[in-house]
Amino acid sequence: MITMAADDKQSVILPNGIPPVWKSIEEQLLEHLENVEDLPIHDYRKQQKYVPREFDFSNLLKVSTLPATYELAVERDYRTGEVLAFTERVNSASGGSAADSFSMLRAPEPGSGVKGSSSNLPFWPGGFDPPLDTSVDPPTTEWKEYRMVAPGLPGGLTAADTSTSPADIKLTDLHSPENLFEFDSSGDDESDGEEAGSFAAAMLPEDGDGVDDVIEELTKDAKVLILSDMKTVVPEVKDTEFAVRLSVTEPIEDFYQRVPDMAYKWPFELDVFQKQAVLCLESHENVFVAAHTSAGKTVVAEYAIALCKKHMTRAIYTSPIKALSNQKFRDFKLTFEDVGLITGDIQLNPEATCLIMTTEILRSMLYGGSDIIRDVEWVIFDEVHYINDAERGVVWEEVIIMLPEHVNIILLSATVPNYMDFASWVGRTKKRKVHVVCTSKRPVPLEHFLYTGNSAKTSKELFLLVDSNSKLQELGYKKALAAKKERASSRSHTTGPKGIRTSGNFSSDKNVWLSVIEMLRKNDKLPAVAFTFSKKRIDENSSHLTSVDLTSSVEKSKIHVFIKRSIDRLKGTDKELPQVKYVSNLLSRGIGIHHSGVLPILKEIVELLFQQGLLKILFATETFAMGVNMPARTVVFDSIRKHDGINFRDLKPAEYIQMAGRAGRRGLDTTGTVIILCKGDVPELSDLSRMMLGKLTVLESRFRLTYSMILNLLRVEKLRMQDMLKRSFSEFSSRKDEGKDRDLLHDLRKRVNNLQELDCFYCSKDIESYYKTCKAYQQLRRTLHAGVVTHPQCVKYLAAGRVILLQAFDVQAIAVTLTTNNRSPRTYKCLVLTDRTVTWWKDSIKKSATQEEITPHNSAQPLTFMAGQHIVLEVDPAHIFAITTQTVKIPAPEKIVDNFDRRQIPRFKDDPPSQATLELVSSLSSLSMEVLTELNPVAEFHLRDIDTVDDYSSLSSLRQSLDSFNSTKCSNFAEHFKVVSADMALKEELESVKFKLSDASLTLLPEYKERLRVLHELNYTDGAGIVRLKGKVACEIKQQELLVTELIFQNVMEGRHYTEIAALLSCVVFEQKNCSKPNLSSSLQKGVETITSVARELGEVQKKYVKDFVVEDYVSEFKFGLVEVVYEWARGTPFNEIIELTDVQEGIIIRCIQRLDELLRDVKDAARVIGNPIIGRKMEDASTSIKRDIVFAASLYTS
């Protein structure tokens, strides 16, 4: 029996020992080491071994399948869906890859990752004209371009006669007897031709006339295809709206018949607006849902996800902030198991049916040509009204424009006034209709109150201001005023509303909150969210409530267990952080705080406890009202004023309603309660009414150019930046009538082509040039005059008695100034010589405002007047044609005005003018017979502005040139000028429409050209706009791409340790303006100075080309307040020690370091592009050093 030893598997145990013919293990090992030549690699016999091969010729017939070179495409009316034509076109995806093809049929890119790659082309955006394929030259019919006979050969190719186009042949002509079965019989196999001919003869009747009968019988019911008729069908563009509003008032009786097999079912009956949205989703149509907070918009998103699961496709759910993405991941995970999350630092289940991400992540995926986009059926934009955000709103527009054609869009928004305009913009951009579902019905009505109490005795001072029907209750406002007045102190006697005054008193604020919470507890109005617009004020308010305990023993136990289970995820000293202890104490008493300075894990604990109803009062900033469905019974406003980054202002109606909408829990509360604290004086009723019932903020475009956007589009040659600008929401108002403008352009071209030339010896030479010169002169004079009449010196010259010339339309009149009205806008009372009534002037003004007619120079007719006839007018400075050097002495101008006004009364209309008036009219009449000298503004007003002086010089040159034209010698010049004016107006209208339809009319085009010059100056692009290496590196950077790229190419990071690099790059992601000054080492201080110097150099280059660019503002964007903190954190210092180095709150520190990690990974990718492994390794080491402990603790929503 042979057995294996446990300790040595190669040794054997035999009953009689090892046979002598076997070698021991030691001998085998020694032989193996000493005889190297016996190794298999030296065995030549194996290399010379012959393997016989069997030939299989059928393998030569197997060819791998290639994509078709051409494809049959259907042309549809993109508004109605009607099939217009079938066209054969080149398949641009044939053999294409992510590096050279925009098609969905291109080969996948295995190593590009979830977000794609900057070297990939994006998929072609929907709504753009298809890219022109330049790889295949179209066939030419110009045979003369080719040689017919090859050199050395007697004959060659005979070109076909192109005089008769094959497109003129009808299908029935092919069936004629002389063509039927007529083949070329010039080949060797003549018998086949004969057999075919005999077969044809057998099939046809013997009588030749019977052929026509057979053909007619075969084709009488068939539609005859005429090849000459197969032309490109140009659809008539119908004036169809891209936004279609659906009714939400009438019930849908046949909903379940139209959707018998719903992709997802809820335990409750859907509202009408939800059913309308579901019907649109089932029809694969774009939807825009506008509804109040907690109305149930998420139902639409859930059904889209369920449809994707049913269709085995994907849905992408985008949110405005990362925290909301985490919360939605948890919510959808409970409903749909197959859910993934993609953020800047984590990727969970990226193969899932539903992917949740921020809009910035989706933008990166679109620019990077991520293969995930192929499978996407729906993209859901939550909180789309966030497009109004000044900094990040542009991302929404970019993503909507860049989405491919096959992707459907769902837009979820709060109620906004211009939802139809926004939906129409999306529809026109994607060339697909958008169905709008809007409901203003609030599931839980709101009641708004004013609270004036500040103690237990006054805790009942709660006054209704707006009832559940949105009716303003002025009686409640008066009661609030009376309550405040009754309790007014001797130092502040309040007799009425005086605006808002913050108390700033520690004890008074404490008493107010104690009384409010007691009132809410007694009236069963908890839980409540207290919105406060200051992190510092939140901390102060919560610290006042040390004596408040709102939880029972059972609730305390649940809170304690949940906190302990959550905090146990932290390591070491992170569990003992001061903020952790402070917040844990608050939570145990049912009080929570929520703002950006709170640790992320603590914010999540607060949110989850609030959702469970364990927290009774939550002090939060405005961000808490963003997106997540966390309703409360009551909402309290600590103040109705906030700081928007520039100054303090009242809340806008949209902001107030967004936060107030958190009041009222559907199915639990009949009404939601909203309370405004009146700590100081009661706000003005008009301000309150405007805020609560005023017009909501409209959706506005925040589209702006960024260098990242420009470079990402420049690297894709077939996508022009102008196409992106045309489709932005900011250009929508000017581009929405583009179809009508094109029709107008066609009509104007016809009319211009039909214009007749003047048959005049003088005028045919230069009358058009005269018209242009005259127009330039009048426009420049008008512009300069507008600036002169507002000049302080001019106001002095226009004092009483100054003789002036008035002009309205084509009539001039002499006048004299009487009085000046200095209130804005400034006007002048003037006495005018005329034989007409006051209505003449008003009619002339109206006529001149509606008709900007160009008249020949000096063609204005002087206004005729009879002796003594005059009027007194109030004149706008714009209608003062000229200010003369002449003056008239007027002792009492006010009396002249009063005398004229008195004579306008019917009872005194026959009274004679006063003596002073008659003398003034007489003096002015005498001056009208003289040559008046116009005042020279440059000399009289001492103008020193170079541009203004140059403009007056140009005006003088234009004036002199007007007398040199031959056309003015024509006897019929006035008549000819009118004809030319009409013709020129038509041509100018044509040019105006052409300009409106051209790229030159784009608002941001000048800025785009300026930024292009900046990129060229910095060597990011060449003269032709081709992206160079620096530009490709900048495409990898998502934040401050210019500065970071310059730091890479100027080798600022080369000689530094990775901890210092991480610390210095924190200036890119840290945004807080005011904080304590860091204590930096000499090396870090030198790095700060270097970065500041590079930023200033970049600023100077941008100032050189970009209009109104301020260098100091650009340099101040980089803040170095956390350099020391990040440096110590990268060195491994515990978090409880680094928070002692600065006064920046813990939550902001963590957010900064998390964003820094994203930046470090971007720089690592950039190092790969330029082939610098040293920088790449440093970035990886820096990322590893900061990615630890509490800063990157796993989210409670994702684990």
Side-chain angles (χ1 to χ4, degrees):
M1 182 178 74
I2 302 175
T3 60
M4 301 296 294
D7 56 344
D8 189 356
K9 293 185 179 180
Q10 293 187 4
S11 62
V12 295
I13 300 176
L14 299 174
N16 299 319
I18 299 176
V21 293
W22 284 14
K23 295 181 181 180
S24 65
I25 296 297
E26 292 78 7
E27 292 174 340
Q28 294 180 31
L29 179 60
L30 184 62
E31 182 180 340
H32 176 74
L33 294 176
E34 290 179 347
N35 302 322
V36 182
E37 64 275 5
D38 291 340
L39 291 176
I41 60 175
H42 300 293
D43 188 359
Y44 67 91
R45 291 171 298 179
K46 188 175 182 180
Q47 297 178 6
Q48 294 180 356
K49 185 178 180 180
Y50 174 75
V51 180
R53 180 180 180 185
E54 295 181 3
F55 295 99
D56 185 1
F57 292 99
S58 63
N59 291 332
L60 299 176
L61 304 178
K62 296 178 181 179
V63 181
S64 59
T65 305
L66 296 175
T69 308
Y70 293 88
E71 61 183 357
L72 194 64
V74 179
E75 291 186 4
R76 296 178 180 269
D77 186 329
Y78 55 78
R79 305 184 186 192
T80 63
E82 179 185 0
V83 177
L84 302 175
F86 294 90
T87 58
E88 189 177 39
R89 67 187 183 192
V90 176
N91 182 4
S92 58
S94 179
S97 65
D100 55 18
S101 174
F102 298 92
S103 174
M104 288 288 169
L105 302 178
R106 72 192 189 193
E109 196 72 16
S112 61
V114 173
K115 299 180 184 178
S117 171
S118 62
S119 60
N120 291 351
L121 293 180
F123 294 109
W124 192 252
F128 281 62
D129 295 331
L132 297 176
D133 186 32
T134 57
S135 61
V136 181
D137 295 331
T140 177
T141 57
E142 297 294 334
W143 292 96
K144 297 178 181 179
E145 297 180 4
Y146 301 96
R147 292 183 178 181
M148 302 303 173
V149 181
L153 296 181
L157 177 67
T158 301
D161 183 10
T162 58
S163 60
T164 303
S165 173
D168 296 331
I169 302 175
K170 296 185 179 180
L171 192 62
T172 51
D173 294 341
L174 300 177
H175 293 282
S176 61
E178 60 270 20
N179 289 335
L180 195 63
F181 300 109
E182 186 175 313
F183 299 99
D184 185 7
S185 58
S186 59
D188 295 335
D189 193 0
E190 297 182 0
S191 61
D192 292 344
E194 293 175 357
E195 291 179 6
S198 62
F199 176 73
M203 292 297 295
L204 293 176
E206 295 179 359
D207 186 3
D209 296 337
V211 175
D212 294 336
D213 297 335
V214 173
I215 298 300
E216 182 179 357
E217 180 67 24
L218 291 173
T219 61
K220 66 178 182 179
D221 296 328
K223 294 183 178 180
V224 180
L225 176 65
I226 302 176
L227 298 180
S228 60
D229 293 342
M230 287 299 294
K231 299 176 181 178
T232 303
V233 180
V234 180
E236 179 183 355
V237 180
K238 302 177 182 178
D239 187 16
T240 306
E241 294 295 333
F242 281 95
V244 180
R245 182 172 181 177
L246 303 178
S247 173
V248 295
T249 57
E250 300 177 1
I252 306 175
E253 303 293 346
D254 59 344
F255 174 75
Y256 293 104
Q257 286 75 29
R258 295 167 67 178
V259 191
D261 183 22
M262 293 184 65
Y264 187 82
K265 296 181 180 179
W266 291 267
F268 53 86
E269 182 68 16
L270 298 182
D271 292 338
V272 176
F273 85 92
Q274 294 169 333
K275 291 181 179 180
Q276 288 282 23
V278 168
L279 291 175
C280 293
L281 299 187
E282 287 285 352
S283 303
H284 303 280
E285 295 169 331
N286 295 337
V287 186
F288 182 17
V289 181
H292 283 297
T293 304
S294 304
K297 298 188 291 291
T298 306
V299 166
V300 183
E302 291 176 343
Y303 196 80
I305 297 170
L307 274 179
C308 290
K309 192 173 182 180
K310 180 180 179 181
H311 298 160
M312 300 181 70
T313 56
R314 289 189 175 194
I316 290 180
Y317 186 99
T318 70
S319 64
I321 54 178
K322 178 182 175 182
L324 182 57
S325 297
N326 294 337
Q327 293 161 356
K328 284 298 181 182
F329 174 78
R330 175 178 177 270
D331 294 341
F332 287 149
K333 190 77 172 175
L334 298 176
T335 307
F336 310 97
E337 294 183 0
D338 195 16
V339 180
L341 176 66
I342 301 177
T343 63
D345 54 341
I346 60 173
Q347 295 181 8
L348 298 178
N349 195 15
E351 300 83 15
T353 299
C354 174
L355 291 177
I356 300 173
M357 62 188 70
T358 59
T359 318
E360 283 82 0
I361 298 294
L362 178 56
R363 177 180 61 176
S364 299
M365 293 173 64
L366 290 172
Y367 280 129
S370 172
D371 285 327
I372 291 177
I373 302 297
R374 299 173 188 268
D375 304 328
V376 175
E377 182 180 5
W378 293 99
V379 170
I380 306 158
F381 293 94
D382 196 8
E383 305 291 334
V384 76
H385 53 270
Y386 207 81
I387 197 172
N388 280 348
D389 184 76
E391 289 296 323
R392 300 173 57 217
V394 61
V395 181
W396 271 257
E397 294 189 53
E398 279 187 85
V399 170
I400 290 173
I401 294 171
M402 290 296 297
L403 281 176
E405 185 179 15
H406 74 281
V407 178
N408 301 308
I409 298 174
I410 298 176
L411 304 165
L412 306 179
S413 170
T415 52
V416 289
N418 61 332
Y419 56 89
M420 290 297 291
D421 287 340
F422 187 80
S424 182
W425 166 71
V426 175
R428 288 181 184 276
T429 301
K430 310 312 292 182
K431 294 187 178 179
R432 293 177 58 188
K433 284 187 177 181
V434 176
H435 294 264
V436 180
V437 182
C438 180
T439 175
S440 57
K441 180 183 177 181
R442 189 178 290 278
V444 181
L446 299 181
E447 292 181 336
H448 305 260
F449 296 85
L450 295 176
Y451 182 77
T452 60
N454 62 359
S455 63
K457 293 182 180 180
T458 59
S459 61
K460 294 182 180 181
E461 292 183 359
L462 188 66
F463 306 101
L464 180 65
L465 185 62
V466 177
D467 61 19
S468 58
N469 297 319
S470 300
K471 300 294 184 182
L472 187 65
Q473 304 294 322
E474 294 188 16
L475 180 60
Y477 180 76
K478 292 178 181 178
K479 290 181 178 179
L481 284 178
K484 271 289 184 182
K485 182 178 180 180
E486 182 181 352
R487 207 173 53 252
S489 64
S490 58
R491 189 174 58 181
S492 175
H493 297 283
T494 305
T495 57
K498 296 182 180 178
I500 304 168
R501 185 184 66 220
T502 57
S503 62
N505 188 304
F506 181 91
S507 59
S508 63
D509 272 12
K510 176 180 179 179
N511 293 335
V512 169
W513 278 110
L514 289 175
S515 65
V516 168
I517 294 174
E518 182 62 20
M519 181 270 296
L520 294 176
R521 188 183 62 80
K522 288 181 178 179
N523 295 332
D524 194 22
K525 294 293 183 180
L526 296 175
V529 178
F531 284 108
T532 310
F533 307 113
S534 165
K535 297 189 292 290
K536 181 180 179 182
R537 181 63 65 86
I538 287 178
D539 295 337
E540 290 176 353
N541 290 340
S542 61
S543 64
H544 295 168
L545 308 179
T546 53
S547 61
V548 176
D549 193 341
L550 302 173
T551 56
S552 64
S553 58
V554 175
E555 291 173 332
K556 289 181 185 297
S557 177
K558 292 181 180 179
I559 294 171
H560 175 75
V561 170
F562 184 81
I563 293 175
K564 187 176 187 307
R565 188 169 64 245
S566 302
I567 297 301
D568 282 346
R569 300 166 179 261
L570 303 180
K571 299 177 181 179
T573 56
D574 292 342
K575 299 179 182 179
E576 305 298 325
L577 290 173
Q579 192 179 91
V580 172
K581 293 182 177 180
Y582 174 72
V583 174
S584 298
N585 178 264
L586 287 177
L587 296 176
S588 65
R589 294 184 282 116
I591 304 170
I593 58 174
H594 190 284
H595 57 75
S596 61
V598 178
L599 292 167
I601 191 171
L602 292 180
K603 284 202 293 186
E604 293 178 351
I605 291 173
V606 168
E607 292 163 0
L608 293 172
L609 289 177
F610 190 81
Q611 283 183 325
Q612 298 175 36
L614 297 176
L615 297 186
K616 309 305 179 184
I617 182 74
L618 174 62
F619 294 92
T621 53
E622 189 177 359
T623 310
F624 185 78
M626 182 66 66
V628 184
N629 186 20
M630 291 188 182
R633 180 165 293 182
T634 305
V635 164
V636 182
F637 284 90
D638 180 76
S639 172
I640 61 171
R641 290 177 65 81
K642 62 175 285 189
H643 194 274
D644 59 4
I646 301 175
N647 50 31
F648 281 96
R649 60 168 175 82
D650 291 340
L651 291 176
K652 296 179 180 178
E655 296 169 337
Y656 177 81
I657 291 174
Q658 176 80 10
M659 290 179 277
R662 293 299 166 194
R665 299 165 299 178
R666 191 170 187 175
L668 297 176
D669 304 323
T670 56
T671 59
T673 303
V674 183
I675 300 174
I676 297 176
L677 301 185
C678 301
K679 296 180 180 180
D681 296 329
V682 179
E684 290 280 359
L685 181 61
S686 59
D687 294 338
L688 293 171
S689 176
R690 188 185 309 111
M691 181 182 67
M692 296 177 179
L693 306 174
K695 188 177 180 180
L696 299 177
T697 306
V698 299
L699 292 178
E700 296 178 340
S701 175
R702 301 296 181 180
F703 194 88
R704 57 186 176 86
L705 292 173
T706 62
Y707 291 107
S708 176
M709 181 198 306
I710 294 173
L711 289 169
N712 273 298
L713 290 177
L714 284 178
R715 70 179 181 86
V716 184
E717 296 180 9
K718 294 183 180 180
L719 277 179
R720 301 187 312 138
M721 189 70 216
Q722 289 88 334
D723 295 328
M724 178 74 83
L725 296 177
K726 283 181 184 178
R727 289 164 174 79
S728 67
F729 190 34
S730 60
E731 295 288 340
F732 169 69
S733 58
S734 60
R735 296 274 171 176
K736 63 181 179 180
D737 296 327
E738 189 169 345
K740 296 180 181 178
D741 290 336
R742 293 192 182 279
D743 294 339
L744 177 60
L745 180 66
H746 181 69
D747 178 61
L748 289 173
R749 279 176 173 162
K750 281 185 177 180
R751 293 167 60 187
V752 169
N753 292 335
N754 294 331
L755 293 178
Q756 302 294 327
E757 293 186 3
L758 281 175
D759 187 13
C760 175
F761 175 77
Y762 291 106
C763 296
S764 60
K765 293 182 179 181
D766 57 9
I767 192 169
E768 288 191 3
S769 299
Y770 177 85
Y771 172 88
K772 294 177 181 178
T773 306
C774 194
K775 182 179 180 179
Y777 171 76
Q778 293 180 16
Q779 288 179 343
L780 181 57
R781 179 186 176 91
R782 195 178 299 118
T783 302
L784 291 173
H785 183 70
V788 166
V789 295
T790 57
H791 195 277
Q793 286 292 109
C794 182
V795 176
K796 295 180 181 179
Y797 271 82
L798 287 174
R802 176 66 59 178
V803 178
I804 60 176
L805 292 179
L806 302 179
Q807 180 166 334
F809 199 55
D810 57 351
V811 178
Q812 282 187 0
I814 187 171
V816 61
T817 56
L818 297 174
T819 60
T820 303
N821 176 18
N822 290 318
R823 290 180 298 180
S824 181
R826 180 180 285 109
T827 57
Y828 299 92
K829 284 283 184 72
C830 302
L831 185 143
V832 186
L833 298 184
T834 177
D835 59 349
R836 309 181 191 183
T837 62
V838 178
T839 58
W840 152 79
W841 178 253
K842 295 180 180 177
D843 294 340
S844 299
I845 294 297
K846 187 180 298 182
K847 192 176 181 182
S848 64
T850 55
Q851 301 184 32
E852 290 291 338
E853 185 174 345
I854 304 301
T855 56
H857 181 61
N858 291 332
S859 65
Q861 299 297 321
L863 188 64
T864 59
F865 60 91
M866 298 177 62
Q869 295 297 320
H870 65 276
I871 57 174
V872 175
L873 299 174
E874 188 164 12
V875 178
D876 187 272
H879 297 105
I880 300 176
F881 179 74
I883 304 172
T884 71
T885 57
Q886 282 80 5
T887 59
V888 178
K889 187 176 181 181
I890 307 177
E894 295 84 0
K895 292 183 179 181
I896 296 177
V897 174
D898 295 341
N899 178 258
F900 179 81
D901 292 341
R902 184 174 184 275
R903 285 183 283 123
Q904 302 310 302
I905 302 173
R907 189 166 51 140
F908 306 108
K909 66 178 182 179
D910 295 330
D911 288 1
S914 65
Q915 184 63 31
T917 303
L918 291 175
E919 292 176 358
L920 179 59
V921 170
S922 176
S923 301
L924 197 58
S925 300
S926 300
L927 286 174
S928 66
M929 308 302 293
E930 301 177 4
V931 178
L932 301 176
T933 305
E934 186 176 355
L935 189 115
N936 184 356
V938 176
E940 298 293 340
F941 300 162
H942 306 291
L943 299 179
R944 295 293 180 266
D945 183 67
I946 297 177
D947 294 335
T948 305
V949 174
D950 289 343
D951 287 341
Y952 271 104
S953 176
S954 301
L955 186 69
S956 178
S957 300
L958 289 172
R959 168 65 188 86
Q960 294 174 7
S961 65
L962 287 172
D963 296 330
S964 63
F965 287 92
N966 290 325
S967 55
T968 57
K969 302 175 183 178
C970 176
S971 58
N972 295 325
F973 172 71
E975 181 181 346
H976 290 170
F977 188 86
K978 286 184 179 180
V979 175
V980 171
S981 295
D983 293 349
M984 293 298 292
L986 193 63
K987 293 178 180 179
E988 288 170 358
E989 186 180 2
L990 173 63
E991 293 300 319
S992 175
V993 175
K994 287 171 64 177
F995 174 78
K996 185 178 179 181
L997 292 172
S998 68
D999 293 342
S1001 64
L1002 296 171
T1003 307
L1004 292 176
L1005 187 65
E1007 183 184 350
Y1008 169 60
K1009 293 180 178 179
E1010 293 169 355
R1011 291 181 180 265
L1012 275 182
R1013 297 188 190 101
V1014 172
L1015 293 174
H1016 179 57
E1017 177 84 8
L1018 296 172
N1019 204 29
Y1020 286 69
T1021 60
D1022 61 12
I1026 305 300
V1027 179
R1028 291 181 171 176
L1029 180 60
K1030 287 180 72 174
K1032 293 178 180 179
V1033 170
C1035 287
E1036 299 286 347
I1037 311 299
K1038 306 302 186 298
Q1039 307 170 67
Q1040 296 291 354
E1041 53 277 354
L1042 291 188
L1043 177 77
V1044 177
T1045 303
E1046 291 299 321
L1047 294 180
I1048 294 173
F1049 277 85
Q1050 294 186 23
N1051 297 325
V1052 176
M1053 306 178 190
E1054 284 289 343
R1056 295 187 175 275
H1057 194 261
Y1058 65 83
T1059 55
E1060 291 187 353
I1061 296 175
L1064 293 173
L1065 287 180
S1066 67
C1067 70
V1068 177
V1069 295
F1070 181 54
E1071 297 177 349
Q1072 184 168 314
K1073 295 180 180 179
N1074 301 316
C1075 64
S1076 59
K1077 188 176 180 180
N1079 184 19
L1080 304 180
S1081 64
S1082 58
S1083 178
L1084 287 175
Q1085 186 62 43
K1086 186 177 179 181
V1088 169
E1089 294 171 357
T1090 302
I1091 293 177
T1092 304
S1093 175
V1094 173
R1096 191 171 300 280
E1097 291 174 3
L1098 286 173
E1100 293 295 340
V1101 174
Q1102 295 179 76
K1103 182 182 178 181
K1104 181 179 177 182
Y1105 297 105
V1106 180
K1107 185 179 179 182
D1108 299 330
F1109 188 87
V1110 181
V1111 177
E1112 292 303 323
D1113 290 349
Y1114 178 73
V1115 175
S1116 65
E1117 291 179 11
F1118 307 102
K1119 300 176 176 61
F1120 301 91
L1122 286 186
V1123 171
E1124 181 186 10
V1125 169
V1126 175
Y1127 177 70
E1128 293 297 333
W1129 178 252
R1131 293 179 61 195
T1133 305
F1135 193 79
N1136 64 337
E1137 295 183 18
I1138 68 167
I1139 60 176
E1140 301 295 333
L1141 302 176
T1142 180
D1143 57 357
V1144 179
Q1145 292 184 315
E1146 293 89 329
I1148 298 176
I1149 294 175
I1150 289 182
R1151 178 60 184 148
C1152 174
I1153 297 176
Q1154 289 174 345
R1155 293 181 61 195
L1156 176 61
D1157 180 63
E1158 298 176 21
L1159 177 61
L1160 293 173
R1161 283 186 278 111
D1162 289 344
V1163 178
K1164 177 185 174 183
D1165 294 337
R1168 174 183 49 80
V1169 173
I1170 61 177
N1172 190 334
I1174 298 176
I1175 292 294
R1177 284 194 297 269
K1178 286 187 176 182
M1179 294 303 107
E1180 188 171 358
D1181 292 341
S1183 177
T1184 304
S1185 67
I1186 65 174
K1187 203 169 183 179
R1188 60 183 176 86
D1189 300 345
I1190 192 172
V1191 175
F1192 286 87
S1195 170
L1196 300 179
Y1197 291 110
T1198 61
S1199 58

